[in-house]
Amino acid sequence: MADRDLSDRAQRHPEKAHRPDTPILRKPDWIRVKAPTSEGYRKTREIMRENRLVTVCEEAGCPNVGECWSQGHATMMIMGDICTRGCTFCNIATGRPNALDVFEPARVAVAVEKLGLNHVVITSVDRDDLEDGGAEHIAQTIRAVRRKNPETTIEVLTPDFLKCPPSALDVVVAARPDVFNHNLETVPGLYPEVRPGARYFHSLRLLQRVKELDPTLFTKSGIMVGLGEDRQAVTQVMDDMRAADVDFLTIGQYLQPTPKHHAVRRFVTPDEFSAYEKAAFGKGFLMVSATPLTRSSYHAGSDFARLREARLVKLGRI
């Protein structure tokens, strides 16, 4: 694995090599972003490199990397840069991962301190090769960040722990992140072609169990649109999330990383995103972010402040 070149598309996504190429559609004006060039961006990149950390911002090719990194907001991806799943939308490398780095949690904590983050988002690859799916490593990272940065709020974006005993989720919840995020990614009807290694109702139940284990934790989930879903299916996902007591919903436009990935079926207009946002608030979500450029960790810090305030309003405390 050490000789694998992840900059080579064929080595990065061997499971997609047999797929026919799909032309990448030209992006509409509302979804184009400037190339990252700021001094803040360069400083954030240096801190990531110094601490030998991987970011989902780079690995997944996030369009907001320039904006977020210019403000020192990087989403750290732990447990390596190779995922055991082969989702057709995702640009993260697929294959057999390397062993966990026991020093990684401490390096994440140092990077959070150097960046001066008030709110940090920590995500990971799927680790189906591990008995607990990496749950203990996630928990150790939460604890390490909290020890070194006691005022920083922590959001984790976790795998689904599909092949693990139920106790795996208990371990992460017991570490008490401020926000537990797990993305449903798409509507259930598209799971076989978009997220073939996952199960929609398992992911939904995972989010519900978090609230059963600790009702004080905020839960968050998101989907992409433009993959071939219709409005009725998106509305049903909203209802399913609310039935699982999810607090925060994100909806963003899917962007095709390479011709081998799932095609963009259409670009959803800003007006349609606004309609989704209005509908979601009407269904009782405490916080909703629905824009073409919305991603799980986009504006996560300011959104968390609004999320916390919304709960206090709901409880009649402000």
Side-chain angles (χ1 to χ4, degrees), residues 159-174:
D160 59 12
F161 305 118
L162 179 63
K163 301 179 181 181
C164 308
S167 57
L169 181 63
D170 300 5
V171 169
V172 178
V173 172

Side-chain angles (χ1 to χ4, degrees), residues 104 176 216:
E104 183 177 53
R176 303 210 76 246
T216 68

Side-chain angles (χ1 to χ4, degrees), residues 14-51:
E15 81 291 352
K16 296 179 176 67
H18 69 283
R19 292 173 59 89
D21 285 1
T22 304
I24 298 179
L25 301 180
R26 178 181 171 84
K27 297 182 183 69
D29 291 341
W30 65 75
I31 209 162
R32 294 177 192 168
V33 295
K34 294 180 180 178
T37 58
S38 72
E39 182 58 35
Y41 172 87
R42 286 190 287 269
K43 182 179 178 182
T44 299
R45 184 173 59 184
E46 287 172 7
I47 291 172
M48 294 299 102
R49 300 294 185 268
E50 287 170 3
N51 289 281

